[in-house]
Each structure stands twice: as structure tokens, then as C-alpha cells.
Amino acid sequence: MKGVMIQGTASDVGKSLIVTALCRMFANEGVRVVPFKSQNMSNNSYVTKDGKEIGRAQGIQAEAAKIEADVWMNPILLKPRSDQDAEIVFLGRALKTLSGRRYRETFYEKGLDVIRESLEQLKKQYELVVIEGAGSPVEINLKDRELVNMKVAELANLPVVLVADIDRGGVFASIVGTLELLDPQERQRVVGVIINKFRGDISLFEDGIQWLEKKTGIPVLGVLPYVENHMIDAEDSLSLNDQFSNKKKGNLDIAVLHLPFISNYTDFEPFLYEEDVSIRWVKHSSELGNPDAVIIPGTKSTLHDLNTLRDIGLDHLISSHIESGGYVIGICGGYQILCEEIIDEAGSDTGIQNRKEIGLGYIPGSTVFHQEKETKRVTGEYHEDTGFQVNHRVEGYEIHLGKTVLHQEGCSFLRLENGTKEGYFGKNGQIIGTYLHHLFHNDEWRNQWLNMIRKSKGLPNKEVISISDFKDKRYDAIAANMKKHLDFDLLKDKIHQWGSI
């Protein structure tokens, strides 16, 4: 199997988007292409068809490659639970929680083994792999036991393309400095450079390209333009911050609480398609203002983030928001936070068994944390308690440790395919809680919820905006745009001139 590895001079230079576009470009040429990232650190995850958990970026890249995602595309996922610790998801299942030091000391050989195994599994099914690195390949303090950059290129025996972000400034120093810090054998793998997020007249940068190629002896394969609101799910919140900040102001103001350990924040990207919706992050109580709706998202550390909301006074502001008729919806950890009580029975959220906390109390229910995590795709329909048309299909996925039990009847949100009641629907939809990630990617539901808010403001209803098909078209559009600014033929030559795994 041939392939290429995309590494970057830093985080958020655009590696994930470039890998996504390359997967679609090769797939459109009839190549059986597959994405791969050995180790991902993100609380933004994707549930595979068989209920396994991988990094969100690799799930999206698989969609772009026109294939079904599986765990071999991202065998190790690290989900931060504090500033020091992260949950290790190994081949799609939660394994244990370790500090960064313990992980480096005890997991390196196990990590190498599963990376080799994953590459062998992918080799059986695909012709070409596009591998994504992480951060920078020259983090000197981490290089001796790294599992995600040049060590992976060595294991796969593939060439490397280095990506730099010109929008940040310092692009020449970042490229030359990265190359200078690579070992000689590592530097020999770098067959090209891509400069990303360029704004303005490309002719003004031609001298810069010539200087780089002369200085490094490595061709610049392309200078890619800055893509506003590319609508491809983000791997980390840096990218999503840019998309939210670039969203035009609309009649509906939706505030999403940016919890310290927020997870699956791509749940809210569909609002970027709604012209009359303004969506924004809120990190501090001074930023909340008077939104029409507040969304409390998922979190990798529910009790920590609940106490953070209290510490900064957002709990009182949410209470005032509800009392004044504002809408609130909690997704996964946000659902748990809205409940009356949270019990960490297994110590799986805090590390302290049987720790209890009083929740915000707007949903009449208790959440108990157990040891085993649930990860599954689910399908259901509106529950009759909502008063909505009950045969309307809703799809999503669940990733959670806690289980929530409501203390009253007649307030369920959904009925799942297996007959189970799911979530909370109260005050005619003013307060909703659910474990379903991807909820707002259901076009009919998103429209229904927004129309409830529009009606409360005396605004006319809007028609459903379908984003389901648009996303696939967006993969083609991103690929076509990149192809215009990338020497794709030269890149393919570099790939085919190299050996294969």
C-alpha cells in the first residue's frame, strides 16, 4: 500500500482539512483510499457502525473517502479529563485513565504494536493511505517516545508533506525551523511543503516560494487559500472558534457554554447554515447577555464543569434565563448538569467513588456514573409526551458513562427503536435534555426547535434547510478548490516514486 503522511509545523495549521480533501480527491479518481491517524488527542469523537469510538476527524475523512469508518483508522484516542490526565480509548473501547507521564512510560510499546497492526489491517483492504500527524514533529521533549509523527512515517515507510499556516505569520521561520530540527533521516522523508490559509494576491508571494525552494531544496506543492466556514467538522475547538466568530449576526441568538472539558462541539455546526441564527461561545458570565437559547454541551468531566459553572456564576444566569422564558437544551454531560442530582457511584467521572453533587435542578432526574461507557449509534422518534408527530425519525449517537433516571412520567423527549424512553422534554420544549450527540444534524428537528424559538419572538417560521446532502457536496467543493491550488500530479509522482508498506 502506497501513501503519504501530512505533518504540520504546529497544531491547527489545517492538516485535518487537507487530509479530508486528499481523501476525496483520490476517491474521485477511483482509488481505494483510507485515512489514518495513529493517535488522536481530542474530546471530539465519532461512533463507528459497530459502536466503537474513534477521533471525529477520521470519521469525517472516511466519509470523504466514501468508505465506512472503523477503529483501524484511529487505534488510539486520548480524551483529556483534566490538565494532567486523559482517558485512553484503545481500538474503540475505553481502556484506562492515565497521566501524561504514566502514558509515556507505560504505553509506548503497546502503542507501536497497535499502530503496526492497524497499518497491516488497512493494507489488506485499501490501495493508498493518507496519514495525519499531530502538532509538530519536532517537539524535542517528546520526540523519543512519540507515536504520531515521524515514528509513524518510519513504520509505514511513507513520504511526508509538511504543512504551514501563513495566516499566523512567521511561515518562513516555521518551515525552515521545523526542517532544521528534524534528524537527517527524517528530513529525507519530507518531499514537499504546503502553505495553507493564504489570503490575498498569490503573485505577491511568488518570491517567497522561490526563496523557500532554494533554501530547503524541497518543492512547494501548493499555496492553499484561507477557506471561510468550510463546514467540515472540526477536530479541535480552535477551528470551530474561527467558524463561530465568522458567522454573521442573525435574529436568533444562541449561546453555547464553552465548558473547560467540552466534548463533541461539532454538534452545533449545523447552525452555521441557518442565516437568521447567530451562534457564539460563552466562557464567562459576563459574556452570556440575553440569548434566546442556551446550549450546555457534552463534557468529559461533568462534575468538574458543573462546579466551574457555579464558580463563575453562570448557574444563576441560567436560572434567570429560564425564568424569563428562555430556552435551554443540554446534550449528554449538559443533560446531566441540568438534573437534580449526580452520583459518581463508580468514581468514573471524578475518581472518587460515591461522590454526590446537586445539579442545576431544572430536570427532575438523577444521574449515576457507572464504570462501563456506552458508545452506540441510535435511531428513534419523538415521544408522544412532546406533542410532536411521533413517527418522525431522529438519528444520533451516544457516548457516556452516566445513566439518567427521570423522577416523573409524561416528560420524555424520544422513544428509541428498541422502545426505550430517552431524554427530557419540559415546559413545552423550553427545557430539553438528551444523550443524543448529532441531534441538530437532523434537519427536521433543528428546524422544529428553531421555529419554537422564532414563534416565541413573534418571528415567522422558516422552511427546513437540508444540510445532509450538502455536506457530501462540500467534500467535493473543498477537494476541487484544493486541486486548483495544489500540484496534485507532482504529489502523486512523489507518492509513487516512494516505496510501499
Side-chain angles (χ1 to χ4, degrees):
M1 182 170 62
K2 291 186 177 294
V4 65
M5 185 168 192
I6 305 300
Q7 297 186 17
T9 57
S11 295
D12 198 41
V13 298
K15 296 185 292 291
S16 295
L17 184 62
I18 289 171
V19 171
T20 304
L22 288 175
C23 283
R24 178 50 60 100
M25 289 161 70
F26 282 113
N28 283 345
E29 292 194 347
V31 177
R32 287 184 288 112
V33 60
V34 62
F36 179 72
K37 186 166 185 176
S38 56
Q39 174 184 284
N40 220 328
M41 178 170 280
S42 176
N43 277 333
N44 214 26
S45 52
Y46 184 101
V47 175
T48 62
K49 194 173 183 178
D50 57 352
K52 304 291 181 61
E53 188 178 4
I54 64 172
R56 181 97 194 137
Q58 281 61 64
I60 295 305
Q61 289 159 3
E63 291 178 6
K66 304 181 183 180
I67 57 177
E68 188 70 45
D70 64 40
V71 293
W72 303 116
M73 300 174 194
N74 176 218
I76 306 170
L77 173 62
L78 306 180
K79 304 189 75 174
R81 303 192 64 175
S82 71
D83 292 339
Q84 300 292 327
D85 302 327
E87 177 188 67
I88 302 169
V89 179
F90 185 79
L91 288 176
R93 294 297 187 201
L95 187 64
K96 61 178 74 174
T97 296
L98 292 175
S99 68
R101 180 176 293 278
R102 287 287 295 154
Y103 177 75
R104 279 176 53 78
E105 290 173 349
T106 64
F107 204 79
Y108 184 67
E109 295 300 331
K110 188 180 182 71
L112 288 178
D113 287 344
V114 79
I115 292 167
R116 291 189 186 99
E117 182 182 6
S118 298
L119 290 169
E120 283 301 315
Q121 290 294 330
L122 297 178
K123 181 180 178 181
K124 295 174 184 177
Q125 302 177 61
Y126 302 101
E127 298 173 272
L128 188 143
V129 61
V130 183
I131 302 180
E132 180 182 342
S136 160
V138 289
E139 302 293 352
I140 302 303
N141 58 315
L142 302 176
K143 274 190 69 176
D144 62 324
R145 297 178 76 80
E146 64 94 0
L147 291 168
V148 73
N149 284 310
M150 282 296 178
K151 186 61 181 179
V152 177
E154 176 191 329
L155 290 175
N157 188 25
L158 293 181
V160 170
V161 171
L162 186 65
V163 179
D165 177 359
I166 195 171
D167 193 53
R168 298 178 176 209
V171 70
F172 300 103
S174 65
I175 293 170
V176 174
T178 298
L179 293 170
E180 287 295 319
L181 289 172
L182 291 173
D183 296 338
Q185 67 271 24
E186 294 172 338
R187 196 179 190 281
Q188 289 175 3
R189 288 194 180 275
V190 182
V191 297
V193 171
I194 292 175
I195 294 169
N196 196 25
K197 303 184 185 180
F198 184 85
R199 303 176 191 259
D201 184 350
I202 186 63
S203 67
L204 298 176
F205 192 64
E206 289 176 357
D207 290 347
I209 294 172
Q210 293 170 10
W211 183 89
L212 272 172
E213 291 183 334
K214 183 177 180 181
K215 176 71 177 177
T216 66
I218 298 170
V220 175
L221 298 174
V223 180
L224 309 182
Y226 193 104
V227 181
E228 301 277 4
N229 292 340
H230 53 70
M231 304 297 187
I232 303 300
D233 289 4
E235 180 177 51
D236 59 51
S237 55
L238 287 173
S239 178
L240 202 55
N241 280 340
D242 291 341
Q243 293 192 54
F244 276 23
S245 64
N246 290 328
K247 180 75 166 73
K248 294 179 180 178
K249 301 298 181 183
N251 292 325
L252 303 187
D253 179 19
I254 298 177
V256 181
L257 304 190
H258 198 301
L259 305 175
F261 294 100
I262 184 173
S263 64
N264 291 80
Y265 26 76
T266 53
D267 283 345
F268 317 115
E269 287 189 335
F271 292 116
L272 296 170
Y273 296 83
E274 302 281 353
E275 290 185 0
D276 67 334
V277 172
S278 172
I279 185 163
R280 56 190 174 88
W281 292 120
V282 171
K283 291 185 178 181
H284 307 288
S285 55
S286 60
E287 299 171 344
L288 185 63
N290 297 295
D292 300 304
V294 172
I295 299 177
I296 307 178
T299 166
K300 198 68 189 70
S301 188
T302 299
L303 290 172
H304 175 279
D305 287 356
L306 166 62
N307 287 317
T308 297
L309 294 185
R310 288 199 168 107
D311 291 343
I312 62 179
L314 270 169
D315 55 335
H316 298 302
L317 295 181
I318 292 170
S319 177
S320 299
H321 170 76
I322 292 172
E323 289 173 5
S324 64
Y327 287 76
V328 172
I329 186 164
I331 307 289
C332 198
Y335 176 24
Q336 297 165 349
I337 285 170
L338 286 169
C339 288
E340 295 172 331
E341 183 182 45
I342 304 172
I343 304 168
D344 193 5
E345 183 180 273
S348 53
D349 186 73
T350 62
I352 304 171
Q353 291 184 355
N354 295 314
R355 177 176 170 180
K356 296 182 180 180
E357 290 278 355
I358 302 300
L360 297 187
Y362 303 114
I363 291 178
S366 296
T367 297
V368 178
F369 280 96
H370 302 293
Q371 193 64 48
E372 294 298 319
K373 181 193 288 190
E374 286 195 40
T375 59
K376 57 186 177 182
R377 292 187 185 181
V378 295
T379 302
E381 57 188 24
Y382 302 140
H383 195 278
E384 53 265 27
D385 292 344
T386 64
F388 296 151
Q389 182 181 350
V390 297
N391 61 352
H392 190 80
R393 184 182 176 91
V394 178
E395 297 178 330
Y397 57 92
E398 298 183 21
I399 310 173
H400 56 93
L401 284 162
K403 291 190 176 181
T404 300
V405 176
L406 299 181
H407 297 157
Q408 67 183 54
E409 293 293 326
C411 57
S412 297
F413 176 40
L414 300 171
R415 186 182 297 280
L416 302 183
E417 263 186 339
N418 62 6
T420 304
K421 296 178 181 178
E422 200 286 324
Y424 172 82
F425 187 91
K427 295 189 175 182
N428 295 316
Q430 186 189 352
I431 302 174
I432 296 173
T434 179
Y435 277 110
L436 256 71
H437 292 290
H438 224 241
L439 176 67
F440 291 112
H441 289 252
N442 290 273
D443 298 325
E444 294 285 348
W445 161 250
R446 187 181 67 257
N447 179 254
Q448 183 120 23
W449 188 68
L450 290 174
N451 277 340
M452 286 194 292
I453 302 172
R454 290 175 182 124
K455 183 178 180 181
S456 73
K457 295 188 69 174
L459 297 171
N461 285 350
K462 296 272 189 180
E463 295 295 319
V464 176
I465 295 175
S466 177
I467 66 168
S468 305
D469 295 333
F470 182 81
K471 190 171 198 177
D472 194 67
K473 294 176 182 176
R474 195 63 180 158
Y475 291 139
D476 281 327
I478 291 291
N481 184 54
M482 183 180 294
K483 203 168 185 179
K484 288 192 301 185
H485 301 278
L486 179 71
D487 192 336
F488 192 42
D489 288 335
L490 179 56
L491 173 61
K492 288 189 288 186
D493 286 344
K494 296 290 184 182
I495 290 172
H496 290 293
Q497 287 166 9
W498 202 268
S500 60
I501 60 176

